[in-house]
Amino acid sequence: MFTSKSVNIKLYITMKATDCSYRFVLLFFACLLTFGMYFSFDLPGVLQHRLEGITNCTDNSTRFNETCVQCEGCLGMSSRQFNILYAIYAWTNAVVVIGAGVLVDRLGNRVGLLLFSFLCLLGTSLFAVGTMLKDTSAMFPLMLAGRLIFGSGGGSLTVVQSTVTAYWFKNKELAFAFACKTAMSRVASVLNFFFTESFASQFGLVLAVWNGAILCGVAFISAIIVSIMDIHGVKQLGDHQSLQTESKKFKLSDIKQFTLTYWLLVMTVMFYYVSLLPFMADASFFVHQKYGYSPRMSSIIVGVVYDLSIVLVPFIGMVIDRIGKRGIMMLMCSFMMIPVYTVLAFTHIHPVIVTVWLGITYSVASAVIWPSIPIVVKQSMLGTAMGVNNSIQMFGVGGANLVVGEILGKNNSLTEEERLVRWKYMMIFLMGTAIACFTAAVFVNICDANRGGILNQSRKQMLQSKFLETEKTISVEPSTEKDNNVSDEKQPLLGTVQTIN
């Protein structure tokens, strides 16, 4: 009787590994991987006025004039120092993330999951400790070191998260799965924009920052769960040996096999996030200074960008999975970015209108850009492809953060009129990067059209193309027909020929 129950339990586990619900449970925990990371990434932006403000204007008159921002428990950073916190994250990300992608392709997802989630936890903890050392020479260097370690884990964690998601959902609900992980990361950002300022007002800056470290701890636990599920699931699907073989074959020199379409996608992603992330980092302070809203209300207004994405991205992902048109949608959302910064630079239209508009463009971009990369890259090279993409993206974002920091200068030492002029120059700079993004998207569509238009294919068209390729392979190598049929039976999550018949 005991043996029978053991067999039944084993059979149940085997069925769960091949069942549709298995990959969606795995997706839930995979989404939690970057929840704490995105919450922590946006923390300085929400708390910018506390990081840059000072407790007593009189005692600090040698550094600030009478226009200084006065608040209890603030750290007294300059705008340059604040933007360096973002730049160091971006540049560390850029340097580390390519090696992280290669490591994932060579050693597997599990190593990356545990290593990078731990680095996020360690980095956010050091940053929080730094905020506890106010008015000491160690404060800013320790906070900077924390962001550096956090950057080495954050971007790398998104790479391994993407490779896991792409394996379990390729040729299925790929755009929807990527949309879900984007939406979950935006939930973290929304919670940050809505509650962090209120929490800091009630409990202080230090405890508010420690919330990010706690959530990164939750992400580390999720990494353990995803690792276990991935190992078990891949074995049950019979792909363990083949993935190991492909990993051993991969060489860094294979990067030259990436297509022109891939490189143009990388440039589109880079320019898009160069337009978005530096703005989001300073947006709360911008709304506070230009429109006169309180810091908390400013955070809520800016948070609308992420509020909309939580609702819209999964829905748009489902639509994209069915109709395709990724290249065309990419072109549209990049074009829609340009008016955002034009309006912010030259008008006084209510900021909510602008953030709603930006939220819609961000939702479309998230649903089409990231799922496009696995379509144009082989699974065995996906980790490296994502790593190269993230690296170039972060180099661009890091440079943009420094440019923005130089444009704004020592914001607290300027008059109100001078501050508004500096904000205007910043928006003009971001408008230029949005135009560059649109240009790159145009070339993506041209190149993709010359290669068969795969990015604009619907799910049905992609499966038909795959079916024709399989038929061609079988006709050339009839001796492998049996092996191909077995492989299809073991990979129900990757799409089957039956969907065409």
Side-chain angles (χ1 to χ4, degrees):
M1 191 68 173
F2 178 79
T3 304
S4 177
K5 287 183 178 180
S6 299
V7 172
N8 288 336
I9 292 173
K10 185 176 181 180
L11 289 174
Y12 173 75
I13 295 174
T14 303
M15 289 299 293
K16 289 295 288 182
T18 57
D19 189 68
C20 175
S21 61
Y22 188 88
R23 67 175 183 271
F24 281 101
V25 172
L26 187 146
L27 177 63
F28 171 76
F29 287 104
C31 289
L32 288 179
L33 287 173
T34 53
F35 186 87
M37 187 271 288
Y38 277 99
F39 186 94
S40 298
F41 174 79
D42 287 318
L43 264 176
V46 176
L47 299 171
Q48 182 176 6
H49 71 288
R50 293 181 180 274
L51 297 179
E52 294 191 22
I54 59 176
T55 302
N56 189 310
C57 293
T58 303
D59 291 345
N60 291 271
S61 58
T62 55
R63 289 187 298 152
F64 298 93
N65 64 13
E66 65 275 5
T67 63
C68 66
V69 178
Q70 184 174 352
C71 61
E72 189 65 33
C74 293
L75 302 184
M77 290 183 183
S78 68
S79 292
R80 287 190 180 92
Q81 286 179 317
F82 171 80
N83 279 279
I84 286 174
L85 292 177
Y86 278 92
I88 195 68
Y89 172 91
W91 285 349
T92 304
N93 214 322
V95 172
V96 172
V97 79
I98 295 180
V102 174
L103 183 145
V104 169
D105 284 335
R106 293 286 295 176
L107 301 181
N109 296 327
R110 297 69 149 181
V111 174
L113 285 167
L114 298 177
L115 174 61
F116 303 138
S117 60
F118 175 74
L119 288 176
C120 286
L121 175 59
L122 178 61
T124 51
S125 299
L126 282 177
F127 184 84
V129 171
T131 62
M132 300 171 67
L133 302 178
K134 177 188 171 185
D135 294 330
T136 68
S137 59
M139 181 195 76
F140 185 69
L142 191 58
M143 294 174 69
L144 208 58
R147 290 291 283 187
L148 187 149
I149 296 173
F150 176 59
S152 66
S156 303
L157 190 59
T158 61
V159 169
V160 68
Q161 182 192 47
S162 297
T163 58
V164 170
T165 304
Y167 171 78
W168 285 95
F169 289 90
K170 192 170 185 179
N171 294 333
K172 283 289 189 178
E173 307 91 349
L174 183 61
F176 175 74
F178 271 78
C180 284
K181 73 184 188 70
T182 298
M184 182 64 82
S185 66
R186 293 308 102 194
V187 168
S189 298
V190 167
L191 289 175
N192 193 358
F193 278 104
F194 266 97
F195 299 112
T196 296
E197 174 57 34
S198 298
F199 187 92
S201 297
Q202 186 171 357
F203 299 102
L205 172 66
V206 173
L207 289 179
V209 174
W210 271 108
N211 284 336
I214 293 171
L215 290 176
C216 283
V218 173
F220 182 70
I221 296 173
S222 298
I224 297 173
I225 296 173
V226 172
S227 297
I228 295 172
M229 292 188 69
D230 189 54
I231 292 171
H232 172 74
V234 169
K235 286 182 178 179
Q236 293 301 326
L237 291 175
D239 284 349
H240 181 67
Q241 193 62 42
S242 62
L243 289 178
Q244 279 190 330
T245 302
E246 288 295 319
S247 296
K248 291 177 181 178
K249 289 180 179 179
F250 173 78
K251 298 178 181 178
L252 186 58
S253 59
D254 291 342
I255 195 173
K256 62 186 178 183
Q257 297 179 20
F258 291 155
T259 64
L260 179 59
T261 304
Y262 165 78
W263 290 111
L264 289 171
L265 271 173
V266 169
M267 297 307 296
T268 303
V269 172
M270 188 268 288
F271 281 119
Y272 182 82
Y273 282 96
V274 162
S275 299
L276 178 71
L277 295 184
F279 170 74
M280 294 302 293
D282 289 279
S284 295
F285 208 26
F286 166 72
V287 172
H288 170 62
Q289 290 193 341
K290 180 172 181 176
Y291 297 94
Y293 288 100
S294 67
R296 183 175 184 277
M297 182 55 66
S298 298
S299 296
I300 292 174
I301 291 173
V302 175
V304 168
V305 176
Y306 295 150
D307 295 342
L308 283 174
S309 68
I310 294 171
V311 178
L312 294 179
V313 170
F315 172 74
I316 295 173
M318 287 189 289
V319 173
I320 295 299
D321 276 326
R322 187 162 297 275
I323 69 170
K325 309 302 181 186
R326 297 167 187 84
I328 295 173
M329 298 296 286
M330 196 182 306
L331 192 65
M332 291 176 59
C333 67
S334 61
F335 177 77
M336 290 169 63
M337 284 280 287
I338 300 172
V340 169
Y341 302 114
T342 306
V343 168
L344 290 174
F346 300 105
T347 74
H348 282 78
I349 291 177
H350 198 288
V352 169
I353 297 175
V354 180
T355 53
V356 167
W357 183 270
L358 185 59
I360 294 172
T361 66
Y362 174 71
S363 300
V364 176
S366 298
V368 298
I369 291 179
W370 293 104
S372 296
I373 295 177
I375 293 174
V376 300
V377 176
K378 295 191 298 184
Q379 178 69 37
S380 61
M381 301 173 64
L382 184 57
T384 302
M386 286 292 185
V388 170
N389 173 70
N390 284 22
S391 177
I392 294 175
Q393 173 195 332
M394 287 296 105
F395 267 122
V397 171
N401 279 321
L402 284 187
V403 171
V404 168
E406 288 300 314
I407 291 174
L408 296 179
K410 293 183 178 180
N411 205 294
N412 290 327
S413 65
L414 303 174
T415 66
E416 181 179 355
E417 184 178 351
E418 288 173 334
R419 284 200 299 267
L420 292 179
V421 171
R422 296 291 184 97
W423 285 119
K424 180 180 179 179
Y425 290 156
M426 171 186 163
M427 296 306 162
I428 292 173
F429 167 72
L430 296 178
M431 182 174 61
T433 61
I435 293 172
C437 177
F438 173 71
T439 304
V442 170
F443 284 106
V444 167
N445 279 270
I446 293 173
C447 184
D448 182 60
N450 292 333
R451 299 178 65 88
I454 187 173
L455 289 178
N456 288 312
Q457 288 181 351
S458 65
R459 183 195 300 178
K460 182 178 180 181
Q461 291 172 326
M462 293 180 70
L463 288 173
Q464 286 174 338
S465 298
K466 185 179 179 181
F467 174 71
L468 292 175
E469 290 178 4
T470 304
E471 286 280 285
K472 183 178 180 180
T473 302
I474 292 174
S475 64
V476 174
E477 301 179 42
S479 61
T480 63
E481 182 176 1
K482 183 176 179 180
D483 293 335
N484 287 334
N485 291 334
V486 172
S487 176
D488 284 336
E489 292 175 358
K490 290 182 178 180
Q491 299 185 35
L493 306 181
L494 306 182
T496 61
V497 174
Q498 282 77 0
T499 55
I500 303 300
N501 295 333

